[in-house]
Amino acid sequence: METFLQTLSRLGPMRLVAILGITAGVTIALILMASGMGRAEKALLYTELSLKEAGEISARLEQMNVKYELRSGGTAIFVERDKIQNAKMTLAADNLPSSASIGYDIFDQAGSMGQTTFTQNINKLRALQGELERTITTLDGVEAARVLLVLPVRQLFQTKTEKAKASVTIKLSANSIGHRQTTAIQHLVASAVPGLITGSVTIIDDTGRVLSDGNADALNGNASSGRRADIEEALRSKIQQVLTSITGQAGVEVQVNVELDRDRITEKSTVFDPDGQVVISSSTSEQNSDDKDRAQNGAVTVGGNVPSSSSAEDTEPGSSSVTSSTTETINYGVSKTETTRVFQSGVIKRLSIAVNVDGVAGVDAEGNSTWVPRTAEEMIQIENLVKSAVGFDLSRKDQVQVTNIRFSKPTPLVIDDTASKPGFDKNDIMRMIELAILAIVSIVMMLFLGRPLIMALFSGGGALVGGSGGLAIAGAGGGVVAAGIGNNGAMPQLPGASGVNPGQAALPAPDAAGGFEEPGLDVSQIEGQVKASSVKKVAGIVESHPEESMSILRTWLHEA
């Protein structure tokens, strides 16, 4: 203990303060790094939350005893990585985050006791809107949705009511969605609301673009635009599928332009066939009549007017007439054909197709890669394949242009597969870096701070060997003078030999071989009793540690 205190006293106050400061700083750094390594890494749980949702989720996490951290102004919540899955499952069971949409679960929150009819109708409307929002959000390309319904209330004794209407605002995850998705949303909303038709559903996106305003004319125009894009994409896929087996995936480029006829035509026609007469009905009527006139003598008697009288007057001759007629009526029908034809809008009016085909890679005599154009026969075959794939019609004035052009191919990037390390993510790599830094700092502390202190403790300031050892220094005439510390701890004085300044005492210079000359011992010049074995030990220490010995001597000279 005394040796340790003596060593500290020889270091001086400035060196002690520096050593203590460095030790404290390194210790604090190690403690901070160890605490940071022991703390679990935080990962994102939810983002883009409203303040209300963030408050509800934070309260639920506190009940679950899960540590969390709010970032981005309270709109993002971070929790420990190993607790993300459990936290999401528990919050989902509590319908969190609700995303500001309430479905039919609104009726589970409170009973119907004490609620008026108006409140129940409003809750029903909110529930319907919330269910539609949740369903629309599940569509591909839709990140969020907001639905507003206008349902007319039928009054008593009212025969006519207004039509139901709906407006849908969607937030797109991509730049835009196709006509099919827009039409699907319209039909979805119209089918879920009683009395609502697709023409009364207006759809806009978060940038203010009107995707469908419910107008019939605009709807037909949007349908034509969407149908045009679908037809062009379908034809392009067909052509690429046919030519990929010939040119390869990167050896063909196709552009298709489709002109559609947007006119909707209804045509009715009636055709009569005079040669196709048929009997519809026939009728025949026959009439017969027999008229006789008797001769009159000019006298009017009673007997003459009696029918059954058999008088002589009956035998008198008179005039008679017989008439017979037959009438036949036949009704004929002429065959006719009535045709009603409806031409919908969106019929292909004209096709314009441009196809660029790359050549064939070849090798010249020197072994270098070259580009070889395709032959005319190959180009004709490719053109015929394209025409057959798209249904080429010359009456529509369709155009197909096939060109053989050399493609510009960029130099492919060389990816080193060995650089990728599966199973390690960013957080694991950072943890490994922290461990490496901690190991390096520990090694540096052991080499530059712990090792000198330990050597100083065991060697008694770097120049002590036991309690009676000493350090030999050069004396007069090239001799060696031993100086040591006695048992009482007192520092001995350097001997003052003739012609030698004590302040100029130094270790013996090395010889040509790079070692120290073995010093001679002149006992007559030594004051006091010194053992020869102690002097040899000190000489061996000096030879083994010349730099430390020099540093100790300089310290002694500085203190003297």
Side-chain angles (χ1 to χ4, degrees):
M1 186 65 182
E2 293 179 357
T3 305
F4 177 72
L5 295 177
Q6 291 176 2
T7 303
L8 294 179
S9 63
R10 294 190 191 97
L11 294 176
M14 298 299 296
R15 295 183 179 179
L16 287 176
V17 172
I19 292 174
L20 293 177
I22 294 173
T23 304
V26 174
T27 303
I28 294 173
L30 291 176
I31 292 174
L32 292 177
M33 290 181 63
S35 62
M37 292 174 59
R39 186 173 61 251
E41 183 70 19
K42 293 288 179 47
L44 179 63
L45 179 63
Y46 291 113
T47 185
E48 296 184 0
L49 298 173
S50 62
L51 296 179
K52 180 180 178 181
E53 292 175 345
E56 294 176 352
I57 294 175
S58 302
R60 189 66 183 91
L61 291 176
E62 291 178 356
Q63 295 177 1
M64 297 166 54
N65 295 326
V66 176
K67 296 181 180 180
Y68 64 92
E69 182 180 351
L70 295 176
R71 300 179 186 177
S72 301
T75 60
I77 299 180
F78 287 76
V79 297
E80 298 178 0
R81 291 181 59 190
D82 54 349
K83 297 182 179 180
I84 286 182
Q85 302 299 330
N86 294 333
K88 285 187 176 182
M89 293 175 62
T90 305
L91 293 173
D94 297 336
N95 194 24
L96 291 175
S98 60
S99 300
S101 62
I102 301 176
Y104 284 108
D105 52 353
I106 190 175
F107 297 104
D108 299 334
Q109 299 178 2
S112 59
M113 294 295 295
Q115 292 185 357
T116 62
T117 305
F118 177 78
T119 304
Q120 292 180 354
N121 292 334
I122 292 297
N123 290 337
K124 181 181 179 182
L125 180 62
R126 293 177 58 191
L128 183 57
Q129 293 177 163
E131 293 295 335
L132 289 174
E133 292 172 1
R134 295 178 180 178
T135 306
I136 294 173
T137 307
T138 59
L139 298 178
D140 186 17
V142 179
E143 183 176 348
R146 181 74 174 171
V147 179
L148 297 177
L149 300 177
V150 179
L151 302 180
V153 179
R154 186 176 182 276
Q155 302 295 336
L156 189 62
F157 303 114
Q158 186 177 3
T159 58
K160 295 182 180 180
T161 57
E162 297 181 358
K163 296 182 180 179
K165 298 180 181 180
S167 60
V168 181
T169 304
I170 58 178
K171 183 179 181 181
L172 304 177
S173 58
N175 188 17
S176 62
I177 59 177
H179 170 70
R180 291 181 295 179
Q181 289 86 344
T182 305
T183 305
I185 294 174
Q186 283 185 310
H187 286 278
L188 174 65
V189 176
S191 301
V193 180
L196 182 62
I197 59 177
T198 57
S200 300
V201 179
T202 302
I203 302 176
I204 64 173
D205 61 359
D206 54 341
T207 60
R209 293 182 301 174
V210 179
L211 304 179
S212 176
D213 59 356
N215 189 4
D217 297 335
L219 185 62
N220 292 331
N222 294 333
S224 299
S225 300
R227 177 175 171 79
R228 176 182 177 181
D230 294 341
I231 293 175
E232 290 177 351
E233 183 63 28
L235 294 177
R236 187 183 300 110
S237 300
K238 286 183 179 180
I239 296 173
Q240 289 181 347
Q241 185 177 2
V242 171
L243 299 183
T244 298
S245 59
I246 301 175
T247 62
Q249 186 67 31
V252 60
E253 293 182 355
V254 181
Q255 291 295 331
V256 179
N257 183 25
V258 178
E259 295 182 10
L260 300 180
D261 188 359
R262 298 188 179 184
D263 297 335
R264 187 176 183 274
I265 302 173
T266 301
E267 182 181 281
K268 295 181 179 180
S269 62
T270 303
V271 179
F272 294 93
D273 186 8
D275 297 332
Q277 297 180 359
V278 294
V279 177
I280 298 177
S281 63
S282 63
S283 61
T284 304
S285 62
E286 184 176 353
Q287 296 179 356
N288 296 318
S289 63
D290 186 6
D291 297 332
K292 293 180 179 181
D293 295 334
R294 292 177 296 177
Q296 300 292 334
N297 53 7
V300 179
T301 61
V302 177
N305 293 321
V306 177
S308 59
S309 62
S310 56
S311 60
E313 297 176 355
D314 295 338
T315 60
E316 295 179 1
S319 61
S320 64
S321 62
V322 178
T323 304
S324 177
S325 64
T326 302
T327 303
E328 183 179 2
T329 303
I330 300 175
N331 295 324
Y332 291 93
V334 179
S335 62
K336 65 178 179 178
T337 302
E338 294 182 356
T339 305
T340 301
R341 302 176 64 185
V342 178
F343 298 92
Q344 297 290 347
S345 61
V347 179
I348 297 177
K349 187 177 180 180
R350 185 181 179 185
L351 288 178
S352 298
I353 301 173
V355 180
N356 293 332
V357 181
D358 196 5
V360 181
V363 180
D364 56 7
E366 298 179 358
N368 299 325
S369 60
T370 58
W371 182 82
V372 180
R374 297 184 182 273
T375 61
E377 291 78 5
E378 290 179 347
M379 298 301 297
I380 294 175
Q381 292 177 357
I382 292 174
E383 183 176 355
N384 293 333
L385 287 175
V386 173
K387 291 181 178 180
S388 300
V390 300
F392 181 82
D393 189 357
L394 188 60
S395 61
R396 295 183 308 200
K397 298 181 180 179
D398 294 346
Q399 292 182 355
V400 175
Q401 183 70 31
V402 181
T403 308
N404 186 200
I405 300 177
R406 184 174 183 177
F407 289 1
S408 177
K409 298 181 180 179
T411 303
L413 297 177
V414 178
I415 300 176
D416 188 7
D417 297 336
T418 60
S420 61
K421 297 181 179 180
F424 292 93
D425 56 359
K426 177 181 176 182
N427 298 316
D428 296 331
I429 295 175
M430 294 300 297
R431 187 176 297 274
M432 294 176 63
I433 293 174
E434 291 178 357
L435 290 174
I437 294 174
L438 181 60
I440 293 172
V441 172
S442 302
I443 294 173
V444 170
M445 286 185 61
M446 292 176 61
L447 292 177
F448 295 95
L449 186 62
R451 182 171 176 269
L453 289 177
I454 293 173
M455 292 181 63
L457 292 176
F458 283 97
S459 63
L464 300 175
V465 180
S468 60
L471 179 64
I473 61 175
V480 177
V481 180
I485 299 176
N487 294 331
N488 56 359
M491 180 67 66
Q493 300 294 330
L494 293 173
S498 60
V500 178
N501 188 0
Q504 296 178 354
L507 292 174
D511 55 2
F516 290 93
E517 295 181 358
E518 184 176 358
L521 181 63
D522 190 359
V523 182
S524 62
Q525 297 182 3
I526 301 175
E527 297 179 0
Q529 299 294 328
V530 178
K531 294 181 180 180
S533 61
S534 300
V535 175
K536 291 181 179 181
K537 291 180 180 180
V538 173
I541 294 173
V542 172
E543 291 180 358
S544 302
H545 306 282
E547 295 181 358
E548 288 82 353
S549 301
M550 184 66 70
S551 176
I552 293 172
L553 287 176
R554 289 175 181 173
T555 303
W556 288 355
L557 293 174
H558 178 72
E559 291 178 355

